[in-house]
Every structure is written in structure tokens, then in C-alpha cells.
Amino acid sequence: MNALFDSKDRAGVDLDAPLIEAKDLHTFYGESHILHGIDLTLQPGETMSLLGRNGMGKTTTLKSILGFVPPRHGEVRVMGVDTAKRRPWQVIRQGIGYVPEGRGIFPGISVREHLVMVARPRAKGDGGNGKEEWNIERVLETFPRLKERINHDGSLLSGGEQQMLAIGRALMLNPRLVILDEATEGLAPLIRDEIWSIIRRIKDSGIASIIVDKNIDNLLEVADRHLLVVKGKVVFDGDSEALTADPELLNTHLGVG
């Protein structure tokens, strides 16, 4: 097993618990109060979108869950484990593939190295991280563009290729949950379509997802539930049918309807 991922990372994990339980999160940047009592629960295999205009607290919610910006008040449990005393890398190694806004591709490291340096075997007996194991062969089959550029410096790829690499890297963890922040932001239409196709494949494989993106139509199609965040508060939590049944809500807070 890769030394980066030993069994201690899974200590105390409850595979029957919700993947994420966040309760009453209050998060600050300095003295700026960003999250005002966010509640979020994600079940195994569930796909959730975080909706809201820019600056409403979506990315801060993700960073609070992962511990990059710890909340000053509230509780986060990942697979039943309280994250209060865990660092972000310890939280992620419980079974989360994180694709951050900006992608996080390292200069001077090849596509192959980006993939193999995080490779983690599927946890024995863990059926919640997909029906089949993700390895480099499967990732390259899923992303043929990466196969063509396997020895290229990852930071020199196009924006769309870097996003594919970031998603492929997350899948190499054999995660139970993939978090995508601004999944298709700034990408050309054809590349966006390709990324959404991959997101659907991730969902069909049984891996849970939390997705932040501005493409409402695709989110309504792929997500099982939506959380609409306005000024650090959840103003809607429900499925696509319930969301589209309230055009005033969509128009007021997302500018669609």
C-alpha cells in the first residue's frame, strides 16, 4: 500500500454513517462572519449541488467541511468521525477526492506523476467508493486526452485538460466522495460537456459527489439534492422537482427562471 495512505486514516470510520454531517457551522475570515449556521448532510452514493451567487459561502462551506477554514462554531463529522482535531489531509484521507477551484496542478510534475503519487487502493469491504477500482489504466481510459499527454508537465496542459487531470487524480484515491468546486468554470463548451459526462459516470459508479457550478441545467439533471446558499445561510434544501417548482426562488437567488 502507498505509504501516504495507511489504515490509521480510516480509524473510527463508520461506513453506515452519513458521509458528511455538518451542523450549525459558523465560519469567519478574520472578523468577517461568512457562514451563519450552515447544516449539511450527505448520504453514501448521493449527488448534491451547492447553489448560490458568487460570494454567498459555497466554497467556504466546502473548506469548512474539509478543515481548510475551520468553523469557529459547529460540528463536522466525516463518515462518523469528528473532524475538530484533524487536519485537512487527515480528513481527505478518510475517503474524499477534492477537486479545488483552480485545480491545484503542480508545475514540474508530469501527468503520470500527478496520478500515481496519490494512488490509493480501494479499501477492503468498502462498497461505497464505486463498483470498480480506479487505477491509472481506468483513469486514462476515461480521459483519453491524458493518455496522449501522459509524460507532459501537468501545469502546461490546457485548462480543460488540467480539470480532467484534477478529477482523475481525485479518482485515483478510490474515494467514497468527490468534491468538485467550480467543476466547469472557464472551460470551452465542448470540454464542459465532456466534464459533465464524466460527472455522470462518477455518479453511476456509486461514488457520492458535492458539486459547485454555475450550469444550473446540468446540476438539475445530475444532482439528487440541492442546497441553495444565500449570505452564508441555507435557504433551500430539496430535489430538482421542488426547486424548479419555485421559479421565484430561482430567479431571485440565481437569476434564472
Side-chain angles (χ1 to χ4, degrees):
M1 178 181 292
N2 189 323
L4 287 172
F5 301 100
D6 88 32
S7 59
K8 293 180 182 178
D9 299 322
R10 308 285 290 190
V13 165
D14 181 356
L15 298 181
D16 295 321
L19 294 182
I20 304 291
E21 288 181 285
K23 298 180 180 179
D24 196 25
L25 299 187
H26 289 259
T27 301
F28 292 71
Y29 288 116
E31 295 304 313
S32 298
H33 193 172
I34 307 301
L35 301 187
H36 299 262
I38 291 282
D39 293 325
L40 183 157
T41 301
L42 184 77
Q43 300 296 336
E46 186 176 28
T47 299
M48 173 187 291
S49 79
L50 282 184
L51 300 172
R53 297 183 189 272
N54 290 342
M56 292 294 106
K58 305 184 299 298
T59 294
T60 303
T61 297
L62 299 180
K63 289 184 174 180
S64 295
I65 289 170
L66 295 173
F68 290 109
V69 186
R72 289 191 193 175
H73 177 80
E75 179 184 68
V76 177
R77 288 185 175 273
V78 175
M79 301 170 213
V81 178
D82 190 339
T83 66
K85 296 182 179 180
R86 292 201 162 199
R87 297 190 179 192
W89 59 266
Q90 293 172 309
V91 175
I92 287 171
R93 280 172 18 171
Q94 287 176 225
I96 298 174
Y98 178 44
V99 181
E101 185 179 10
R103 306 177 186 113
I105 302 302
F106 301 108
I109 298 178
S110 71
V111 168
R112 183 189 301 277
E113 290 167 331
H114 272 92
L115 297 174
V116 300
M117 72 178 180
V118 301
R120 175 186 184 277
R122 178 173 172 167
K124 187 176 181 180
D126 184 357
N129 56 353
K131 299 170 185 176
E132 300 177 43
E133 184 167 18
W134 285 93
N135 52 34
I136 191 166
E137 290 79 14
R138 188 178 178 196
V139 168
L140 295 179
E141 179 185 351
T142 303
F143 299 99
R145 291 169 184 258
L146 297 184
K147 187 174 183 178
E148 295 171 3
R149 292 157 176 76
I150 190 67
N151 295 316
H152 290 207
D153 184 328
S155 67
L156 300 181
L157 302 182
S158 70
E161 290 165 349
Q162 286 190 23
Q163 186 70 340
M164 293 174 191
L165 179 55
I167 295 172
R169 181 178 59 187
L171 291 172
M172 287 291 289
L173 291 163
N174 277 288
R176 303 189 84 223
L177 166 64
V178 172
I179 295 177
L180 299 106
D181 192 3
E182 297 295 354
T184 64
E185 178 72 12
L187 301 182
L190 287 177
I191 300 297
R192 288 202 301 266
D193 291 344
E194 196 167 345
I195 296 297
W196 283 112
S197 176
I198 298 303
I199 290 171
R200 293 182 189 94
R201 289 182 64 178
I202 292 171
K203 178 178 180 176
D204 291 343
S205 78
I207 299 173
S209 300
I210 299 177
I211 307 168
V212 173
D213 199 76
K214 294 180 176 63
N215 192 311
I216 303 303
D217 289 340
N218 278 301
L219 289 172
L220 289 171
E221 176 195 343
V222 75
D224 303 304
R225 280 175 54 223
H226 310 275
L227 260 66
L228 176 54
V229 180
V230 177
K231 295 182 179 178
K233 297 180 180 180
V234 174
V235 300
F236 174 88
D237 180 353
D239 62 17
S240 296
E241 183 178 359
L243 185 58
T244 54
D246 192 343
E248 183 177 351
L249 187 74
L250 285 168
N251 184 54
T252 299
H253 299 299
L254 297 174
V256 297

